[in-house]
Amino acid sequence: MTGRLLKILTFSLITLLSTSTLALDIDEKLTFRILQTSTSKKTILMNRGLEDGLVIGDHAKFFITTGVFARAVCIKATPSRSVWSIYRIVKPSEIQRDKVANLKISSPVKLTNDRSKSLQATYPSGKQMGEPVDINRSSPQQRSAYAQSQGSSRYDKNYEEQSELEAIKTTSFSSNQTMSRPTPSKILDKNMAFNVSAGLNMLSGTYDNVGVSTDAELSSLGFAGEFELFFPKSQSFLQKFSLKASVGYYSGSNGISESTSSSIDFGGAVNFHIFNPLATNRFIPYVEFGFGLSMTSLNEIPETAGSSTTESLSGSGTYMNFGGGIKYTLDSGFGFYAKGDYFSSSSTFSIETGGSTVENTISLSGFRAIGGAYLRF
């Protein structure tokens, strides 16, 4: 029994020392992202917690480049998340989901002698001044005194705020609760997506056959699969970018003597999103620039101009695309997107003729309309 008690005391001491060592000092700064807010914007959940040096009872100023927009106290914390009660709001518009901002640890607000300006007129002796009253933990006498000093309407407002806080606690911090679907905060941390799409290619160009140029025109369906990488932990401009690796395929009649062409494209793309690409339940516009390699096949191509003899050719080349679109992600991580872009490709085919090698080229370019779906994971 004594040995077990000693182990418990040792573990408690180590935990206490670790917390003290990691805790942030006054005026230390930290970048964070708001994951959830209450309806009144006086309770928020952020993506920083004990591992980042935050502890329950910390006071902090929230600020961006234009200045301080709120002041709050930490009321609950886990290793990677924390809940903050905001007791001073300077700019309500800045308190919104997915907002990236900075916090600076500060000392508690001093209690003024002017009761009309006091954040907290009555509070049990021995406690830090300036912290919001915890209605759930206070005694009936304390709640009654607080209600009398602040007015019943203010008491009701704080009681409603506590209800909102409890809702956030239940959703975000309960480790025993089985969730039917991922919470938005979990989706925000998922940095990869698998995309599938189908689109209409409307391309035109030329086929250079041994120095003789022939018009080419191709309208066909194309299909693609893509892996997309996001940067959710970046607090800089990089957060709005994503990288893609893709494989695409299209095939159809090219208008060259009833011949057909097909292409398998391997490449990548860079996307820039106007808003945070990790946000859910909102439309996110973006622009895309891509490039890669093409493996192209031409079937039933005349050997020479005017020849009735045909052949099948295999060649390679490059492509590029540039365009824009819009995407929409659900809280489940499933989403949809649509885009339009300008596509251009050029492929070369080596042909042995008359003891020498000649190179034929097909160049196609035009507009593509594409729609698809994806899953973040």
Side-chain angles (χ1 to χ4, degrees):
M1 183 70 178
T2 304
R4 183 178 180 184
L5 179 60
L6 182 60
K7 289 181 180 179
I8 294 174
L9 291 174
T10 302
F11 177 77
S12 301
L13 180 60
I14 292 174
T15 303
L16 179 61
L17 291 175
S18 300
T19 303
S20 301
T21 303
L22 295 174
L24 298 178
D25 294 328
I26 299 294
D27 290 335
E28 281 200 63
K29 299 178 182 178
L30 188 66
T31 302
F32 69 94
R33 184 172 71 250
I34 298 176
L35 301 179
Q36 289 177 277
T37 69
S38 64
T39 304
S40 63
K41 297 188 176 183
K42 288 190 175 181
T43 306
I44 68 167
L45 173 69
M46 70 169 61
N47 67 333
R48 297 292 188 179
L50 300 175
E51 293 177 348
D52 303 293
L54 299 175
V55 295
I56 297 175
D58 272 348
H59 286 248
K61 297 176 182 178
F62 299 162
F63 66 95
I64 53 178
T65 55
T66 56
V68 175
F69 63 86
R71 186 161 184 161
V73 60
C74 180
I75 57 177
K76 188 171 182 66
T78 66
S80 61
R81 299 286 188 272
S82 58
V83 174
W84 292 71
S85 179
I86 299 177
Y87 52 85
R88 185 187 177 206
I89 300 178
V90 180
K91 297 179 180 178
S93 61
E94 301 296 342
I95 303 174
Q96 56 181 310
R97 190 170 156 186
D98 298 329
K99 178 71 176 181
V100 176
N102 301 296
L103 67 82
K104 182 169 72 172
I105 299 298
S106 61
S107 57
V109 174
K110 301 297 182 182
L111 186 65
T112 177
N113 293 325
D114 186 346
R115 294 175 63 87
S116 66
K117 298 180 180 179
S118 175
L119 288 174
Q120 177 183 318
T122 61
Y123 199 73
S125 59
K127 301 293 184 180
Q128 276 192 320
M129 307 304 286
E131 295 184 9
V133 171
D134 189 339
I135 294 176
N136 289 339
R137 294 184 180 179
S138 58
S139 66
Q141 293 81 5
Q142 292 168 346
R143 292 197 293 270
S144 177
Y146 183 77
Q148 292 175 5
S149 64
Q150 302 299 326
S152 59
S153 61
R154 185 168 179 179
Y155 174 82
D156 293 340
K157 186 176 181 181
N158 278 280
Y159 185 80
E160 291 175 1
E161 188 66 27
Q162 284 292 330
S163 299
E164 293 173 352
L165 170 60
E166 290 303 320
I168 288 183
K169 286 180 182 179
T170 303
T171 301
S172 306
F173 287 92
S174 176
S175 58
N176 298 324
Q177 183 180 10
T178 301
M179 308 298 290
S180 60
R181 59 182 175 84
T183 62
S185 61
K186 292 180 180 179
I187 292 300
L188 287 172
D189 291 332
K190 297 184 182 300
N191 68 333
M192 294 191 70
F194 177 69
N195 311 339
V196 291
S197 66
L200 177 62
N201 301 328
M202 294 169 283
L203 310 177
S204 61
T206 59
Y207 174 60
D208 186 359
N209 182 10
V210 195
V212 178
S213 181
T214 305
D215 290 337
E217 185 173 335
L218 186 145
S219 296
S220 68
L221 287 176
F223 304 91
E226 302 172 322
F227 279 103
E228 188 168 8
L229 176 66
F230 299 91
F231 304 94
K233 295 185 178 180
S234 173
Q235 305 300 336
S236 65
F237 194 64
L238 185 64
Q239 188 187 64
K240 292 189 175 182
F241 284 89
S242 66
L243 301 178
K244 283 184 178 180
S246 64
V247 178
Y249 172 81
Y250 66 87
S251 176
S253 174
N254 54 32
I256 307 173
S257 233
E258 298 183 354
S259 64
T260 60
S261 61
S262 60
S263 180
I264 301 176
D265 300 329
F266 301 90
V270 179
N271 285 5
F272 174 76
H273 303 80
I274 307 302
F275 307 118
N276 182 359
L278 305 172
T280 59
N281 300 314
R282 67 178 299 183
F283 289 101
I284 309 294
Y286 69 96
V287 293
E288 177 178 294
F289 173 74
F291 56 90
L293 302 176
S294 299
M295 298 178 59
T296 307
S297 297
L298 298 180
N299 302 314
E300 307 298 327
I301 291 292
E303 289 187 352
T304 58
S307 173
S308 59
T309 305
T310 61
E311 59 185 342
S312 296
L313 305 176
S314 296
S316 61
T318 60
Y319 77 88
M320 62 82 63
N321 65 283
F322 178 79
I326 192 167
K327 61 176 61 174
Y328 189 93
T329 307
L330 303 175
D331 287 340
S332 62
F334 186 77
F336 309 89
Y337 70 97
K339 69 175 181 179
D341 67 14
Y342 175 81
F343 177 86
S344 178
S345 68
S346 178
S347 297
T348 301
F349 309 87
S350 297
I351 302 174
E352 297 289 339
T353 177
S356 62
T357 301
V358 297
E359 292 186 344
N360 290 4
T361 303
I362 184 170
S363 300
L364 296 170
S365 61
F367 178 78
R368 300 189 304 177
I370 300 172
Y374 56 88
L375 178 65
R376 289 251 296 276
F377 61 92

